[in-house]
Amino acid sequence: MENVAVRAPAHAKLAGHRNVCAGVARALGSAGATVYVTGRSVRGGAPPADGAAGTVQDTADEVAALFSRVQREQGRLDVLVNAAWGGNELPRLQADWGTPSWEVEAAAYWDSMFVAGVRAALVASQHAARLMAAQGSGLIVSVSFGAGGGSSPYLGNLYYDLAKASLNRLAFCLGEELRPMGVASVALSPGHMRTERVLQAYKTDEQHWREVPELAAGSETPEYLGRAVAALAGDAAVLRHSGQVLLVAELARQYGFTDVDGSIPPPFQLPGAE
């Protein structure tokens, strides 16, 4: 494992347990990877209010420039992690949860979850796949949710469910296309992560989260997912996972890694799910 591009949310910053991107970057960096982290804001800057920045053409050009830079500076790309996601920042998401889809505003969900989320993963994966197919190796990881397939339980919001299912299907389709070239593609499903925004929502911090029943019941740090990515990236037989939706907790048991506190948080289950 050498060179990694991590697709990050617009607000990503590498400090504390802020978000998925930070956890993945730290875990891969600790494993010796050269990590390229991308986002749409700089240190001290605020994330775009609408989940996007610039024009579609500008964004596409910037993504292409990133992968050209990795190829120019490193000569290869070993891992891409698609962690960009804008849906959970919407104030209306919690209020709309469980509301029929025809009674909520679709446009905001589409822009944040599909443009800033699914589309970003698709565009980045296309560039990564081109480099990896040519070199005959690599791993594309799309951070998602659920077990995949039509039998998965409904996630409670049509747009959220559809976006996550799209990411899962993206991993499957890329797996089918890239397997002959020796490149793996997977979707990675974490549990209830204690990102900065989650901690803020529960009015707590990393020192006091055990006092919150919803978090004490089985939450995890973003590094737990990052260690899952590092384990997959270091597996010479990772192609056996290609096309699948993998649970972080199951990979922890398979590969023998833990969360930062030495625990192995269990797989997340939706309320009422078996």
Side-chain angles (χ1 to χ4, degrees):
M1 177 173 54
E2 296 177 358
N3 310 308
V4 183
V6 180
R7 288 286 299 155
H11 56 275
K13 299 176 184 177
L14 299 183
H17 298 306
R18 287 185 183 271
N19 49 47
V20 176
C21 171
V24 172
R26 278 192 296 270
L28 291 172
S30 296
T34 299
V35 183
Y36 288 72
V37 182
T38 69
R40 294 186 297 273
S41 65
V42 296
R43 182 174 298 166
D50 60 356
T55 66
V56 171
Q57 291 79 10
D58 289 340
T59 302
D61 290 344
E62 290 167 1
V63 173
L66 166 68
F67 286 91
S68 294
R69 176 185 171 186
V70 173
Q71 180 68 11
R72 181 176 66 254
E73 294 179 355
Q74 308 296 334
R76 59 183 294 110
L77 174 66
D78 298 292
V79 183
L80 168 71
V81 181
N82 291 309
W85 181 251
N88 293 21
E89 287 76 27
L90 291 175
R92 64 172 60 87
L93 181 60
Q94 184 174 1
D96 285 348
W97 204 261
T99 302
S101 59
W102 58 89
E103 295 181 5
V104 302
E105 182 184 350
Y109 286 111
W110 182 265
D111 290 343
S112 61
M113 293 183 181
F114 289 86
V115 177
V118 176
R119 182 184 180 277
L122 177 60
V123 171
S125 295
Q126 181 183 37
H127 287 282
R130 186 176 296 118
L131 297 180
M132 292 175 179
Q135 70 193 26
S137 65
L139 170 65
I140 297 175
V141 176
S142 294
V143 179
S144 185
F145 186 76
S151 61
S152 297
Y154 178 49
L155 299 183
N157 179 286
L158 183 147
Y159 305 102
Y160 181 90
D161 194 309
L162 186 59
K164 295 302 185 182
S166 298
L167 290 169
N168 293 342
R169 192 65 183 177
L170 172 64
F172 171 77
C173 294
L174 285 174
E176 292 295 297
E177 291 187 344
L178 291 169
R179 189 176 291 106
M181 290 81 169
V183 179
S185 169
V186 302
L188 198 52
S189 178
H192 193 182
M193 285 189 290
R194 297 192 305 276
T195 63
E196 182 180 68
R197 289 183 178 232
V198 167
L199 293 174
Q200 288 175 346
Y202 284 106
K203 297 180 171 56
T204 188
D205 54 35
E206 191 58 29
Q207 287 71 48
H208 302 91
W209 63 268
R210 292 177 181 83
E211 301 169 8
V212 180
E214 293 86 347
L215 298 177
S219 61
E220 60 199 54
T221 70
E223 281 90 339
Y224 194 42
L225 181 144
R227 292 179 178 187
V229 175
L232 290 170
D235 185 353
V238 69
L239 272 176
R240 72 185 187 280
H241 294 303
S242 196
Q244 300 177 31
V245 181
L246 305 173
L247 302 182
V248 170
E250 292 182 356
L251 292 178
R253 291 170 173 80
Q254 179 178 339
Y255 287 101
F257 62 85
T258 68
D259 204 344
V260 294
D261 61 358
S263 66
I264 302 179
F268 178 77
Q269 285 191 324
L270 291 168
E274 294 296 331

